């Protein structure tokens, strides 16, 4: 199992390197190898990581429906194993995918659920990121007051935890 876990980690890392180098087919192959290796290793967190990596690759390369399938599988694994941080991250990714695909009500539900998980586990950075995403979603839906409220909440968190990158992102969105 240790060898398969190492292979899964390595393949996940290779996906971003290959994708950044413009080698999409090799990156897709590496992502699928990561999923197979993670499944063989029997580690739910690693399986979530590999499925998330594959889902993100597919989302970035026009495979929205396929990405959703992998994200949803990762979400089932995270919930079954009680991996709240993975659950929140995958919900956030599903929300981003829904937003990209114009499924704004689904995006709102997933992003709101991601915020709830982040608050439950005390991850203020993740809560702030998703509040910013929710602000952007409300902006897209023409809800200026709601967007502003979410951006203000995200900005408050960013300043509270000293996260300058999040602060800059939120300020650019205001």
């Amino acid at each position: 199992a240790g060898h398969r876990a190492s292979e899964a980690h390595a393949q996940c890392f290779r996906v971003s390197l290959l994708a950044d180098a413009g080698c999409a087919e090799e990156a897709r192959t590496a992502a699928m190898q990561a999923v197979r290796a993670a499944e063989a290793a029997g580690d739910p967190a690693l399986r979530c990581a590999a499925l998330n990596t594959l889902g993100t690759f597919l989302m970035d390369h026009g495979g929205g429906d396929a990405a959703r399938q992998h994200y949803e599988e990762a979400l089932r694994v995270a919930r079954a194993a009680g991996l709240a941080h993975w659950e929140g991250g995958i919900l956030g990714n599903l929300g981003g995918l829904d937003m990209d695909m114009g499924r704004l009500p689904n995006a709102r539900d997933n992003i709101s659920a991601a915020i709830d998980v982040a608050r439950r586990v005390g991850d203020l950075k993740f809560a702030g990121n998703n509040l910013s995403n929710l602000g952007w979603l409300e902006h897209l839906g023409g809800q200026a007051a709601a967007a502003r409220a979410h951006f203000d909440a995200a900005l408050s968190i960013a300043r509270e935890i000293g996260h300058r990158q999040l602060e800059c992102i939120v300020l650019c969105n205001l």
Side-chain angles (χ1 to χ4, degrees):
H3 173 264
R4 297 302 294 201
S6 295
E7 179 185 352
H9 283 290
Q11 294 298 349
C12 284
F13 182 68
R14 283 188 69 227
V15 173
S16 61
L17 293 175
L18 290 165
D20 289 348
C23 303
E25 283 309 311
E26 290 175 338
R28 180 187 315 271
T29 299
M32 292 186 309
Q33 289 172 342
V35 170
R36 285 192 297 273
E39 288 171 353
D43 179 343
L46 187 53
R47 190 165 173 223
C48 287
L51 288 164
N52 188 63
T53 297
L54 179 55
T56 300
F57 170 81
L58 292 169
M59 182 175 76
D60 291 345
H61 290 84
D65 290 328
R68 177 178 310 287
Q69 291 175 354
H70 295 292
Y71 283 149
E72 288 175 351
E73 184 179 350
L75 185 59
R76 285 189 294 276
V77 170
R79 286 178 170 162
L83 301 170
H85 277 91
W86 274 113
E87 178 184 358
I90 295 160
L91 285 165
N93 287 345
L94 278 166
L97 176 63
D98 288 330
M99 206 170 2
D100 288 350
M101 296 179 81
R103 298 173 179 161
L104 301 188
N106 289 355
R108 182 176 291 104
D109 290 345
N110 283 318
I111 294 169
S112 295
I115 293 166
D116 291 343
V117 171
R119 287 180 171 149
R120 186 177 75 229
V121 300
D123 189 337
L124 291 178
K125 177 184 170 218
F126 190 70
N129 282 332
N130 278 287
L131 281 163
S132 179
N133 292 341
L134 193 55
W136 187 247
L137 176 68
E138 296 295 0
H139 169 77
L140 292 174
Q143 302 298 317
R148 180 63 191 238
H150 294 305
F151 286 138
D152 286 346
L155 184 60
S156 176
I157 288 172
R159 288 180 172 160
E160 176 185 337
I161 63 174
H163 196 286
R164 298 294 177 231
Q165 181 182 14
L166 176 58
E167 183 177 2
C168 289
I169 289 168
V170 174
L171 287 171
C172 288
N173 285 330
L174 284 175

